[in-house]
Amino acid sequence: QVQLVESGGGLVQAGGSLRLSCAASGSIFSSAAMGWYRQAPGKQRELVATFTTGGSTNYADSVKGRFTISRDNAKNTVYLQMISLKPEDTAVYYCHAFLPLYGNMNYWGRGTQVTVSS
């Protein structure tokens, strides 16, 4: 069983910055493709940024140049640095883990709210 716990969300003005963290339990972190997704009210959950299974990164077009995903395998933690935030970035942000070596299992955190005021 994998547990993902997000933190770092909050209320910020447009143009501001936040850093989200996702701490993962278990010893599988180094083999997991980690990522961040978000869901705004009335919208479907969408990809924000992920590490692929090959270790490269993938970003939604809407966040390229503003968001950066990173990971610290020693701390079992993945981060999402967000700068130049816009009101349209307002959403619940979810941490995701994909485990191709463990039956392609998917795990989700409970989410952290990010609200960007104009």
Side-chain angles (χ1 to χ4, degrees):
Q1 185 73 8
V2 176
Q3 288 188 326
L4 304 174
V5 180
E6 303 98 335
S7 61
L11 174 63
V12 64
Q13 289 187 331
S17 302
L18 283 174
R19 188 177 81 156
L20 306 183
S21 300
C22 171
S25 66
S27 59
I28 50 78
F29 183 80
S30 61
S31 63
M34 303 296 298
W36 290 93
Y37 289 71
R38 68 187 181 187
Q39 188 167 17
K43 295 187 177 181
Q44 290 189 331
R45 191 172 297 188
E46 63 177 1
L47 179 149
V48 176
T50 66
F51 285 100
T52 67
T53 53
S56 59
T57 55
N58 185 33
Y59 292 91
D61 288 342
S62 60
V63 307
K64 285 180 180 177
R66 300 188 298 120
F67 291 11
T68 303
I69 190 171
S70 61
R71 64 190 295 164
D72 185 337
N73 286 346
K75 295 182 178 180
N76 283 7
T77 301
V78 63
Y79 304 97
L80 184 68
Q81 179 67 52
M82 307 184 292
I83 66 171
S84 302
L85 282 161
K86 304 175 181 180
E88 52 263 44
D89 294 318
T90 295
V92 177
Y93 284 69
Y94 296 91
C95 182
H96 173 255
F98 172 61
L99 302 173
L101 301 181
Y102 295 84
N104 291 337
M105 293 293 293
N106 287 273
Y107 292 92
W108 294 92
R110 300 182 68 175
T112 185
Q113 176 71 46
V114 172
T115 303
V116 184
S117 63
S118 57

